[in-house]
Amino acid sequence: MTFCNIIDNERCCTSKTRHNINPATTEPNAEVPVSTREDVDKAVAAARAAFKPWANTPVEQRGEKLRAFADAIESYKDDFAHLLTLEQGKPLAQSYQEISMANTWLRAFSVMKLPEDIIEDNEERQVINRFTPLGVAAGIVPWNYPILLAAGKIAPALYTGNTMIIKPSPYTPYCDLKLAELGAQIFPPGVLQALSGEEDLGPMLTEHADIDKIAFTGSSATGKKVMASAAPTLKRVTLELGGNDPAIICDDVDIDAIIPKLTILSFLCCSQICMMIKRLYVHSSIYPRFLSAFTAHTATLPVGPGNQPETFIGPVQNSMQYAKVHDLYTQIDKQGWTPALGGHVPDADPGGKGYFFEPTIIDNPPADSRVVTEEPFGPILPVLKWDDEDAVIAAANDSKMGLGASVWSADLERATRIAKKLEAGSVWVNSHFDVAP
């Protein structure tokens, strides 16, 4: 299998290539292109040329193309699933789940209404609010969910009449290049393209004078750079950044019923999801029983390569993230944290053994601990006690991140009261990471 950029519906190779590695083995994957500024200019020119005809295509036909794209992905789901596990590391079952979610998003956006709202209508004037295409968009996709988060940018952009250039993460370029290659069979030239490259490719796109919109998913630190880079050309920017999501567990919950849900919502994809539960606040009256049940259930989750059927927790995706998570694990002994589960610190250099960590639960660490205040993006989770409702709300809100949060209680009135006081973009009751288009 070979991998190329997709520019104007053509497979385009580059003189320089690079490769990423399989995080379960650290063995090299296939070579991929390293795009130059010339490649970027060609892709942007093709996207600009395609924009007007695509924007003038009836929205119903654009929706039909998106549904055809979803059907095509579905027909290759086995190939995509195995390729995703190879490059990202997640278990094969979770790769299939990601593909299914991506197609759900593509199909859902393909039938959304784009209404024209009449704001004012009288003898003097009529004021209409319309949704009009912007132009050329670039989607910068992270390495944790490369298919889903590419689809989440492609679908709304193309449906609303824009053209899209996808830039996959250098750590996971393979599936996104194949998505664009498949899209070339469905969309007109220049409508959907993909460029692979190194760390300098992102700035080439965010700075480009003829790109109108940037959609970025990634870390808060990089998001700041994206915003600064896009400012001189006044691009519109959508940033979906990091999270340190709290979950508040009240004293009236059915522990046995919620433990399996909370375990998945804390350790899915090796905890490499921005909207995973990262801090677990448990009422002190149920804390011992909850912690015992939670650690016991987490201990049953198999760790291993994603191509093994029983695996639930695969490797951390790349060497950069492995080093960050490894540093956090080394703090367990240094800071005197108490592991209720796990805590083993693997080798700093895993060699050919892969980027694996055992799931680790830290028992009631200090509120100012790094494991509480930072986003680990790895399978280590603090569980903390609480007694006072106002105090736990303040603790949950004590973060510069505000992506998601949840409250778990049998009393919906109580849970809703707490949820309304949580400072997060999405707040759930008795659920978490429950997202849809």
Side-chain angles (χ1 to χ4, degrees), residues 282-304:
V282 180
H283 196 278
S284 62
S285 65
I286 63 168
Y287 187 89
R289 189 160 67 91
F290 179 95
L291 185 64
S292 176
F294 186 62
T295 55
H297 194 275
T298 303
T300 66
L301 301 178
V303 178

Side-chain angles (χ1 to χ4, degrees), residues 157-335:
L158 270 55
Y159 183 63
T160 53
N162 304 282
T163 54
M164 170 63 78
I165 300 168
I166 287 293
K167 188 206 84 69
S169 165
Y171 293 111
T172 53
Y174 301 96
C175 284
D176 285 346
L177 290 173
K178 288 300 178 182
L179 282 178
E181 186 173 332
L182 192 59
Q185 302 175 25
I186 296 162
F187 300 106
V191 171
L192 176 61
Q193 304 175 91
L195 298 175
S196 165
E198 297 180 317
E199 297 299 333
D200 61 346
L201 178 56
M204 291 183 204
L205 294 168
T206 56
E207 296 168 0
H208 202 287
D210 212 20
I211 291 178
D212 304 289
K213 163 83 177 186
I214 299 291
F216 169 83
T217 303
S219 71
S220 298
T222 305
K224 293 177 183 179
K225 295 178 181 178
V226 169
M227 179 173 281
S229 177
T233 50
L234 294 178
K235 288 181 177 62
R236 302 192 188 200
V237 177
T238 299
L239 305 176
E240 196 268 295
L241 307 177
N244 194 14
D245 289 16
I248 297 173
I249 313 300
C250 297
D251 54 0
D252 59 355
V253 296
D254 183 338
I255 292 177
D256 292 335
I258 69 171
I259 286 292
K261 299 177 185 177
L262 290 169
T263 305
I264 292 173
L265 292 167
S266 300
F267 294 102
L268 183 70
C269 195
C270 196
S271 306
Q272 299 170 115
I273 301 176
C274 52
M275 297 182 94
M276 280 286 93
I277 294 172
K278 311 278 175 51
R279 296 175 285 153
L280 202 50
Y281 294 93
V282 180
H283 196 278
S284 62
S285 65
I286 63 168
Y287 187 89
R289 189 160 67 91
F290 179 95
L291 185 64
S292 176
F294 186 62
T295 55
H297 194 275
T298 303
T300 66
L301 301 178
V303 178
N307 58 7
Q308 294 182 357
E310 68 277 6
T311 294
F312 183 83
I313 299 178
V316 167
Q317 200 281 320
N318 57 72
S319 59
M320 173 194 69
Q321 191 60 30
Y322 182 86
K324 292 180 179 179
V325 177
H326 184 272
D327 180 63
L328 196 57
Y329 272 64
T330 64
Q331 300 303 306
I332 296 172
D333 285 340
K334 292 179 181 178
Q335 302 299 326

